[in-house]
Amino acid sequence: MAEDSGQEKNEEPTQKRLDDAKKKGQIARSRELNTFVMLIVSAWLLMSQGGRVGSGLIAMMQNDFHVSRDIIFETQTPLVFFKQAILDGVLLIAPMMAILTVAAIAAPLSLGGWIFSMDSISPKFDKLDPIKGLPKLFSINGLVELGKAMLKISLVGLVGWLLFNSIFAELLGLSAEPLEQAVVHALTLIAHSFLILSAALIAIAAIDVPYQLHKHSKDLKMSLQEIKDEQKESEGSPEIKHRIRRTQMEMAQNRMMQEVPKADVIITNPSHYAIALKYDETSGSAPIMLAKGIDLMAAHIRNIALENNVPLVAAPPLARALYYSTEIDNEIPQGLYVSVAQVLAYIFQLKEAVKNHTPKPVPPQNIKVPPEFKQE
């Protein structure tokens, strides 16, 4: 929607946007940093392990490729020596490969952290469409990648040319050295040259890392409309929330109305308020409010009470006090015990009179309500 409305994306991404991007594998990554780390570690390994590897190669040639004439024509001998040569070679470079594996994992972890996303590794055939990929060649990101490639070529070429001139004499002198010494010397030269060439790429990595972080942050920025849409999606639109609240209220009212026939008395205003109370003498607890309402709801409570022969008592101050001080299914407050007791006493007398066919008692008049419970 933001794209259609043309709004600018200047807002910082929400946590949901960041989490969704991470699930899709969209995190900051720098290939230049990964390349630099792998090359610099490889160069360091050549410098620190070059002598050992060179000596090991010479020993392999002397031991594995030196076969006596007596056994050279045996059928299985070449295979045995070949297997041994492979094993010796693997053991020789195994420590270096282990360190390079750690470096290959640690480099991307340093920028963006660890992430595994099936979405990022799933095949996307639309990326194979050359027509869709053509605009990327002329995008800002394409121009940046082209600039980095040209800078790498120029930088590595310049450093390589200067390095070659500085070691040219040593390279020519290798032919005059004994074989073992020449191998070690050559590996040392290669390691130093490799280290210098790799170190030159630190300039590229120093440029690419901030750029990738900036690009990732910019790609995730949101417009105000996108933030509003996300909030609606996560929290629900106001219309839906209103319908939910209305449905919940209707369900609560229906449950409340089902409790009205169980009440001992309905205290009324007499027209604006209606309070349904029930008192269980055996429980020893205070009376409980089963239902309450004003205006139309109060009229509905009164109608249900009349249909189920629940007595109504008009006590306006008490009805208002109970409505504002007590919630449904809760006991009435202690300050209203005496006031409610007068009503309940009348109800019990009324039930006895009906049962014994005696004159009905006079309803209580002018029931007093404590000042702190009075409602105007």
Side-chain angles (χ1 to χ4, degrees), residues 111-165:
L111 185 68
W114 172 262
I115 184 173
F116 179 79
S117 173
M118 292 299 297
D119 186 74
S120 60
I121 63 176
S122 59
K124 297 178 177 62
F125 297 104
D126 58 332
K127 291 187 176 182
L128 300 177
D129 189 348
I131 303 300
K132 291 184 178 180
L134 189 61
K136 295 182 180 180
L137 296 177
F138 303 99
S139 64
I140 297 298
N141 189 54
L143 294 177
V144 171
E145 293 297 326
L146 177 62
K148 288 192 299 182
M150 294 178 63
L151 182 59
K152 280 193 291 186
I153 293 173
S154 303
L155 186 60
V156 174
L158 176 61
V159 174
W161 180 74
L162 294 174
L163 187 61
F164 178 76
N165 288 336

Side-chain angles (χ1 to χ4, degrees), residues 16 227-245:
K16 182 178 183 301
I227 294 177
K228 292 178 181 179
D229 292 343
E230 183 181 284
Q231 290 175 346
K232 286 183 179 180
E233 182 181 349
S234 59
E235 300 176 4
S237 65
E239 294 80 6
I240 295 177
K241 290 194 290 185
H242 176 71
R243 285 200 295 269
I244 292 175
R245 285 196 299 268

